[in-house]
Amino acid sequence: VLILLRADNHGEGGTFALMALSQSVAKRSAPLLLILGLVGASFFYGDAVLTPAISVLSAVEGVRFAAPSLGRFVLPVTILILIGLFAMQSHGTERVARFFGPIMVIWFLALSTGGLIHILDDPRVFAALDPTHGARFLWRNGMVGFTVLGLVFLSVTGAEALYADLGHFG
C-alpha cells in the first residue's frame, strides 16, 4: 500500500491516473497501456456498482440474526441507505469521508483487536505470510490454483479502492 500510494499522478490516483502516469514513462507501450487502462476502468465501474450494494446489503442482513422479525425491512433499509450515501456523495466525497472516517476507525480497531486476540491464541498463523506456500499451491494445483490465488488477490483489492481515492488517503 505504501508503494502504491507513492505512484500518484500529481496527487491523483485511480486507474486513469495510473494509466496516464505509465504512458508518460513508457512511450512505446502507450497503446497497450491504453487498452489495459480501459479494461481496468471497466473493472472499476463494475466494482463501483456492485461493492456498495453488496456491502450495505450484507451489513443490513445481519439485523435478521438479531431480530428475525425485521427481515422484511432489509431490502427497503438497504435501498434507503444507498440512496442517502449516493445523495451525500454528490456533494463531494470529502463530506462522506468526514462522516464515515470516525466510524471506519472504530470498525478497524474492533477488527484488529479481535484479530490480535486470536493471533495470541496461536502465533503459528504468521506462517501464512510465507510466499512459498502460495507458490507450492500454484505449482501443485495448476489452473485451479491460479484461479484460487486470483480470488485471494481480489480479497485484498481494498488497496485498489484506497488508491482510487488517493485524494483522501494520500
Side-chain angles (χ1 to χ4, degrees):
V1 168
L2 293 175
I3 292 168
L4 186 66
L5 288 176
R6 299 183 121 210
D8 69 335
N9 189 13
H10 306 291
E12 291 297 321
T15 304
F16 289 125
L18 186 59
M19 181 183 67
L21 181 65
S22 58
Q23 281 182 328
S24 69
V25 174
K27 302 268 188 224
R28 294 171 60 190
S29 302
L32 174 64
L33 293 171
L34 176 64
I35 291 169
L36 290 174
L38 291 173
V39 169
S42 67
F43 289 147
F44 171 74
Y45 283 119
D47 184 48
V49 169
L50 291 176
T51 300
I54 297 300
S55 297
V56 173
L57 181 61
S58 63
V60 176
E61 276 185 321
V63 171
R64 287 194 321 198
F65 293 104
S69 62
L70 297 177
R72 64 177 188 230
F73 297 110
V74 168
L75 192 57
V77 168
T78 300
I79 291 169
L80 285 174
I81 291 172
L82 287 170
I83 289 171
L85 280 173
F86 285 112
M88 195 162 72
Q89 188 174 1
S90 68
H91 297 290
T93 54
E94 183 181 356
R95 241 187 195 170
V96 176
R98 195 175 291 151
F99 179 75
F100 282 105
I103 294 169
M104 295 306 295
V105 167
I106 292 167
W107 175 245
F108 286 133
L109 286 173
L111 284 176
S112 60
T113 302
L116 286 173
I117 289 169
H118 291 292
I119 286 173
L120 295 175
D121 289 344
D122 190 359
R124 291 178 300 167
V125 73
F126 285 113
L129 297 175
D130 183 359
T132 59
H133 295 303
R136 250 184 270 128
F137 180 79
L138 181 61
W139 183 257
R140 288 182 186 152
N141 295 292
M143 198 60 188
V144 171
F146 184 75
T147 303
V148 169
L149 289 178
L151 294 171
V152 169
F153 178 76
L154 286 175
S155 72
V156 295
T157 56
E160 180 271 331
L162 180 77
Y163 182 73
D165 200 14
L166 193 61
H168 291 105
F169 293 105

